[in-house]
Amino acid sequence: MVRELRPFIVTSWHGHRDNADLPEAVREVWKGKFSARPDPRMVHGRFSNVDLVILGPDGDVVHFFDAFPPRRSGRESLADETIRHLRYALSWFDDPGTSGKRPLELPDVDRGRGIRVFVSLKDDRMKAYQAPVVEAVALDEPDWDALAYPDTPREVEAGPLFKWLSQVYPPGVMERTNPATKKVYEVAGITGDLTLEPAGAGSTLRHAILRGDLTFTDEGGDGFAYKGTLEVVLTYPPDRDGVTSLRGVFAGIYPREDRNGRTRQVPLEAVFESRPE
């Protein structure tokens, strides 16, 4: 499946038919999907709420289909059906661009310094969530001040670290969303007791460790929260207190509610690295 997607730039849109700002491609697809006589690509009027649309270089709809159609016995697998549709769409392009392998390029800060964050929800029922989502967060020099070298152990508030810690949330559009706008709730607050303490020195660098427990809340305003433990190793030059590099991990539990109202405690993990090296 990954090989079949290489010629494409993959993006997504999440919303509702009542949205006033529907993208033109979505509007075109849904016009066929929800009409009195639905497009046959929507499986005779029965469909899921996930569509896959292939656009040309000019943004026009080339092909679309139901990404999770109702299953019928004897039909091809979901993966094979998706591949068939993708290959059909590629046949409409003059140069499908399937030859060669594109190098993997992770998101990175485009100015100054920052922190790259890898987030993964270890849900054994939805394997796609286990693939890490990568975000690069640019930081200004004052954003590093809270992590200045500690001569003795000291407490650090989570607030000054919000820019990069706020990226730690499940990588899925099926999580908590605003019922009116259908947009995913963002992290609204992070609290916890963090301690930054010296951790020895070498010939060229000094080290410190930041660790503690954190609680995350979102914009939902209903008391929902998830928790975990942060551990970060920082390095400093021997003659200055500013951070040279940062490496860290977060291990937490995210309470995920299914459609039947049952809550499962799903591991939520994150990895942090300062950029550039």
Side-chain angles (χ1 to χ4, degrees):
M1 179 70 74
V2 174
R3 183 171 58 252
E4 300 294 333
L5 287 171
R6 280 179 184 162
F8 300 99
I9 297 173
V10 180
T11 186
S12 65
W13 181 84
H14 178 223
H16 192 270
R17 278 189 287 171
D18 296 334
N19 290 146
D21 58 346
L22 285 178
E24 188 57 38
V26 175
R27 192 182 304 276
E28 179 178 342
V29 171
W30 283 1
K31 181 179 179 181
K33 180 174 182 176
F34 297 112
S35 66
R37 300 181 64 182
D39 189 290
R41 284 168 287 192
M42 293 305 173
V43 193
H44 306 295
R46 296 186 298 120
F47 41 72
S48 73
N49 62 352
V50 182
D51 305 318
L52 203 156
V53 185
I54 293 90
L55 306 180
D58 54 3
D60 291 338
V61 175
V62 173
H63 183 55
F64 66 89
F65 58 97
D66 191 332
F68 294 94
R71 312 311 303 161
R72 295 198 299 269
S73 60
R75 294 192 65 190
E76 61 193 330
S77 70
L78 181 61
D80 288 342
E81 184 173 356
T82 302
I83 289 172
R84 174 169 57 80
H85 279 288
L86 292 174
R87 289 177 176 173
Y88 171 78
L90 279 175
S91 70
W92 287 87
F93 294 97
D94 294 333
D95 180 14
T98 55
S99 61
K101 185 176 181 180
R102 297 180 182 178
L104 176 64
E105 295 184 6
L106 296 176
D108 210 343
V109 293
D110 56 6
R111 60 175 179 81
R113 301 174 65 203
I115 294 177
R116 188 152 56 194
V117 185
F118 302 76
V119 183
S120 175
L121 185 68
K122 301 300 184 181
D123 192 334
D124 57 2
R125 298 184 186 178
M126 300 189 73
K127 300 293 187 181
Y129 281 15
Q130 297 186 21
V133 168
V134 185
E135 300 284 357
V137 182
L139 299 179
D140 299 318
E141 284 305 316
D143 295 325
W144 296 94
D145 291 348
L147 300 175
Y149 183 77
D151 293 316
T152 59
R154 72 168 188 269
E155 299 299 310
V156 174
E157 295 183 358
L161 315 181
F162 184 85
K163 281 186 180 179
W164 51 281
L165 287 179
S166 61
Q167 299 302 317
V168 181
Y169 61 90
V173 297
M174 293 176 61
E175 298 312 315
R176 290 168 52 82
T177 57
N178 185 311
T181 65
K182 306 302 178 183
K183 295 185 181 299
V184 176
Y185 287 137
E186 296 183 0
V187 173
I190 306 173
T191 58
D193 298 320
L194 298 174
T195 301
L196 181 64
E197 57 185 342
S203 58
T204 59
L205 291 172
R206 296 180 294 172
H207 307 276
I209 294 178
L210 176 72
R211 60 163 61 96
D213 297 328
L214 296 172
T215 299
F216 294 73
T217 55
D218 63 22
E219 299 170 322
D222 56 359
F224 175 83
Y226 53 99
K227 302 178 180 182
T229 299
L230 177 72
E231 294 184 299
V232 176
V233 175
L234 303 109
T235 64
Y236 307 81
D239 56 347
R240 295 192 308 277
D241 291 341
V243 176
T244 298
S245 69
L246 177 153
R247 294 284 188 280
V249 295
F250 171 87
I253 295 294
Y254 186 85
R256 192 148 191 254
E257 185 174 319
D258 63 23
R259 64 184 62 187
N260 297 316
R262 294 187 295 262
T263 299
R264 295 184 296 118
Q265 305 299 321
V266 183
L268 177 65
E269 299 178 359
V271 175
F272 311 94
E273 63 175 5
S274 55
R275 298 295 302 164
E277 290 299 318

